[in-house]
Amino acid sequence: MKDCRWEPSDQQHQIASLDELRQHCAVAQSDMLGHAVLTHNAVCSVIENHDTFSNAAGSHLSVPNGMDPPEHSIFREAIEPYFSSQRLSEFEPACREIARTVISQIHKDKPLEVVSKIAKPFALHIQCAFLGWPDSLTNTLGEWLEANQKAIVNNDRAALKEKADEFEALIHQQLDVRRQSKTTKDDNTRRLMNEEVTANGETRRLNEEEIVSILRNWTAGEVGTIAAAIGSIFYFFAQNPDIADKLRNNQLNVDDAIDEILRIDPPLISNRRRATKDTEISGCPVKQGEKVTVLWASANRDEAVFGKADAFNPERNKANNLLYGRGIHICPGAPLARMELRIFTEELLKHFGEFKVTDEPKRANYPSGGFKNLIVEVT
């Protein structure tokens, strides 16, 4: 196999660079990412083998996505009810109201920077509503996410520690509000505080560290990917007005269409694993303890599986789409994300007929997907 390297910090257009690299390399080497896994087949071989490739790859507790069996299933069972059809049905009216409010800020025939004015506000407001946090926290949360993202890009360990401490303090504040007030409504944050897990025959409540970890995953992870997804949807409709028309006329399943749009233009770039023993990935030797990064953004555009990477074909590609992962670690919040994106898309297409990109868009840098800057005019 040809020796390959891929450093995220070197890329101006990370998706294009991954497309090029994947043509001759299933696994690239990276100082930042370790073994960077590129092809669909190689990514599946990693994510479906959790005994060899551990999800416990980070430096802090990550519940449940940074856990391995049997611990993973214990905590996964506790959080899955938060994304049940009943819970989502109860949340849908609030979700639609937020979508309508954000979309009402779009004015016809006037260029708009979609990422900062629409995508991020929608993601922040929707997540605060899901958690039961006050709307006043959206600015604080948004500023924190921007600073944390910058620290990740710069690999600034001190800044990352500072941001982690700040976020933990924010969560503790929300937990304290609920402890001190008996009148606070029964929202998802309060429910987590009363959540129980059973292990080794013993049932107990989630501890503070576990609650903080879950809420961190539900914010830091969810907000960034939903915002990136919204930007990609705007861009896709500008490039493919016929697909927008078919959706508007109920000729396509909205969920399947959005999944395919986000296969083509992925909001989530990667996830980490760590090798538990000496092994190999597509012929590339991997030693015990080494870092492995699965690059969803590459695997989901693999021509060997999907044909032309940019060809929109939701029916053909649905079974192999890794947008929400696969196996035991498939994203538990996928039903919520799908509902949020479906509602936003329905409301958007209800109000606007044509989308036009009016300036050269600027792609986001690793680890974010989507766009950093996208100016669109609607009619």
Side-chain angles (χ1 to χ4, degrees):
M1 181 183 296
K2 182 176 179 179
D3 183 37
C4 305
R5 293 200 65 82
W6 193 75
E7 294 300 338
S9 58
D10 297 338
Q11 312 306 325
Q12 292 298 313
H13 190 325
Q14 56 186 334
I15 305 302
S17 69
L18 288 170
D19 284 349
E20 182 180 352
L21 185 61
R22 190 178 56 250
Q23 304 310 311
H24 56 264
C25 194
V27 183
Q29 301 308 307
S30 169
D31 292 337
M32 183 178 183
L33 307 181
H35 301 280
V37 189
L38 302 166
T39 65
H40 192 279
N41 182 62
V43 163
C44 287
S45 74
V46 170
I47 63 176
E48 292 170 357
N49 186 356
H50 47 80
D51 290 330
T52 302
F53 300 102
S54 171
N55 268 55
S59 57
H60 57 73
L61 180 68
S62 181
V63 181
N65 50 310
M67 293 175 162
D68 298 317
E71 189 179 31
H72 167 265
S73 59
I74 293 168
F75 286 91
R76 174 109 183 188
E77 186 178 342
I79 69 165
E80 282 191 332
Y82 289 78
F83 308 104
S84 68
S85 57
Q86 180 182 340
R87 292 276 185 92
L88 296 188
S89 178
E90 292 168 358
F91 182 54
E92 182 171 350
C95 182
R96 195 168 293 277
E97 183 60 31
I98 291 168
R100 287 171 175 165
T101 299
V102 171
I103 288 169
S104 71
Q105 305 303 307
I106 304 174
H107 301 290
K108 295 178 181 179
D109 303 315
K110 185 175 180 180
L112 175 73
E113 204 294 291
V114 164
V115 177
S116 62
K117 301 298 184 183
I118 301 299
K120 288 182 179 178
F122 174 74
L124 287 163
H125 283 285
I126 209 77
Q127 201 58 22
C128 281
F130 178 73
L131 297 175
W133 293 5
D135 234 20
S136 57
L137 276 182
T138 54
N139 287 339
T140 301
L141 186 56
E143 289 168 2
W144 180 87
L145 287 166
E146 291 283 347
N148 191 62
Q149 180 80 357
K150 183 178 179 181
I152 293 172
V153 171
N154 295 332
N155 199 23
D156 187 336
R157 296 294 175 185
L160 281 169
K161 174 65 168 61
E162 179 186 343
K163 292 298 123 187
D165 290 345
E166 284 181 11
F167 193 72
E168 188 166 336
L170 175 65
I171 292 176
H172 284 306
Q173 179 191 50
Q174 288 304 304
L175 300 183
D176 287 342
V177 166
R178 285 156 181 79
R179 289 191 187 100
Q180 293 163 14
S181 173
K182 300 300 182 183
T183 59
T184 306
K185 66 178 182 178
D186 185 26
D187 56 33
N188 282 333
T189 300
R190 184 181 283 278
R191 288 169 184 161
L192 271 182
M193 295 168 67
N194 296 314
E195 197 63 66
E196 294 181 336
V197 290
T198 302
N200 302 318
E202 178 186 344
T203 299
R204 64 169 179 83
R205 283 190 178 183
L206 293 175
N207 63 41
E208 196 95 344
E209 185 184 12
E210 291 159 352
I211 294 170
V212 168
S213 175
I214 293 169
L215 290 172
R216 182 194 299 116
N217 288 335
W218 286 359
T219 47
E222 186 78 7
V223 170
T225 50
I226 289 296
I230 295 295
S232 293
I233 288 168
F234 268 93
Y235 184 77
F236 184 87
F237 288 160
Q239 304 300 314
N240 301 273
D242 57 322
I243 304 299
D245 284 338
K246 287 181 179 179
L247 283 167
R248 198 179 284 110
N249 297 321
N250 300 314
Q251 293 174 273
L252 288 171
N253 178 279
V254 182
D255 285 344
D256 290 349
I258 293 172
D259 281 5
E260 177 70 348
I261 290 169
L262 301 181
R263 178 198 66 77
I264 293 169
D265 199 346
L268 179 65
I269 303 299
S270 68
N271 280 130
R272 294 178 295 175
R273 301 289 192 274
R274 193 168 294 279
T276 61
K277 58 186 177 184
D278 290 353
T279 185
E280 66 174 41
I281 306 170
S282 295
C284 172
V286 179
K287 293 182 180 179
Q288 180 180 355
E290 288 185 334
K291 186 189 300 182
V292 175
T293 302
V294 292
L295 285 158
W296 309 110
S298 175
N300 245 1
R301 293 174 54 81
D302 190 342
E303 296 82 358
V305 175
F306 301 106
K308 290 183 179 180
D310 292 319
F312 179 85
N313 194 330
E315 191 63 34
R316 181 192 66 189
N317 296 331
K318 183 177 181 178
N320 292 311
N321 193 337
L322 300 175
L323 176 63
Y324 293 104
R326 178 176 290 184
I328 66 168
H329 289 287
I330 192 168
C331 177
L336 172 64
R338 283 194 171 103
M339 184 186 79
E340 292 170 350
L341 294 172
R342 179 180 70 253
I343 287 173
F344 183 91
T345 300
E346 287 172 350
E347 293 299 324
L348 184 68
L349 293 177
K350 192 185 297 181
H351 287 82
F352 302 109
E354 186 177 341
F355 303 82
K356 182 170 69 174
V357 176
T358 61
D359 206 349
E360 185 68 28
K362 188 174 183 181
R363 286 274 172 183
N365 300 116
Y366 187 91
S368 297
F371 296 87
K372 184 181 293 184
N373 186 276
L374 177 65
I375 301 176
V376 174
E377 187 174 304
V378 298
T379 58

